[in-house]
Amino acid sequence: LMGLLVDTLVDDDMNAQIGGSWLLAAYLKDGVQLAQAQIAQLSAALANMRDGFGRLHICQAAEHLTVPGEKASAFAAFYRASAESDNTFLRAWAPSGLFHLASHHPVYMNTARDLVEKALSDPAPSVRARARKTLAGE
């Protein structure tokens, strides 16, 4: 099932991408773990995800993902690109995702801190609030 959900992330149908990413995030939040092959599949799908809500769901589930070192760069690039979005919620959650990744892969910590610091001065109150929560460890 999890492999099928990851497959939806590269579907041309944005509704499938949104629904699949939402379900994937819900399963991850409920404690389901992805196999290494599924993490590899997800890391390959990230660059092709275009929908802001689909990307948001992955950012929101970041704390529930265990990303091996060889796949961390794909996730870091995804979070950095997502932090530049016009979508306020995606801009709020992307730095949090990178910060979580950096807690397991410290090579990304400086970049993560930079994104969170930038988010602290974002014009949107929700972006600033998420950045404060990220720094507080929530």
Side-chain angles (χ1 to χ4, degrees):
L1 174 64
M2 299 308 283
L4 292 173
L5 289 177
V6 175
D7 282 342
T8 66
L9 302 182
V10 294
D11 199 296
D12 289 336
D13 179 355
M14 286 299 118
N15 290 323
Q17 197 176 99
I18 294 167
S21 63
W22 184 87
L23 283 171
L24 179 62
Y27 278 114
L28 291 170
K29 289 175 187 175
D30 282 345
V32 174
Q33 294 292 308
L34 295 180
Q36 292 301 307
Q38 293 164 336
I39 290 285
Q41 183 184 4
L42 176 57
S43 72
L46 294 174
N48 297 317
M49 291 185 70
R50 300 288 177 242
D51 182 76
F53 288 108
R55 294 173 73 88
L56 173 63
H57 298 145
I58 301 304
C59 290
Q60 289 174 324
E63 67 183 287
H64 306 288
L65 283 169
T66 303
V67 178
E70 67 272 8
K71 301 300 178 191
S73 65
F75 282 85
F78 174 80
Y79 296 132
R80 283 191 309 266
S82 296
E84 299 300 320
S85 176
D86 290 337
N87 179 316
T88 303
F89 292 113
L90 185 52
R91 231 175 32 250
W93 281 93
S96 180
L98 184 57
F99 201 84
H100 176 76
L101 181 73
S103 70
H104 297 281
H105 304 284
V107 68
Y108 300 107
M109 189 53 79
N110 287 339
T111 304
R113 283 192 178 120
D114 289 346
L115 280 185
V116 173
E117 289 294 325
K118 181 179 177 187
L120 287 170
S121 62
D122 194 277
S126 59
V127 176
R128 295 191 308 269
R130 183 76 231 148
R132 287 190 300 273
K133 287 181 179 186
T134 298
L135 290 176
E138 295 179 23

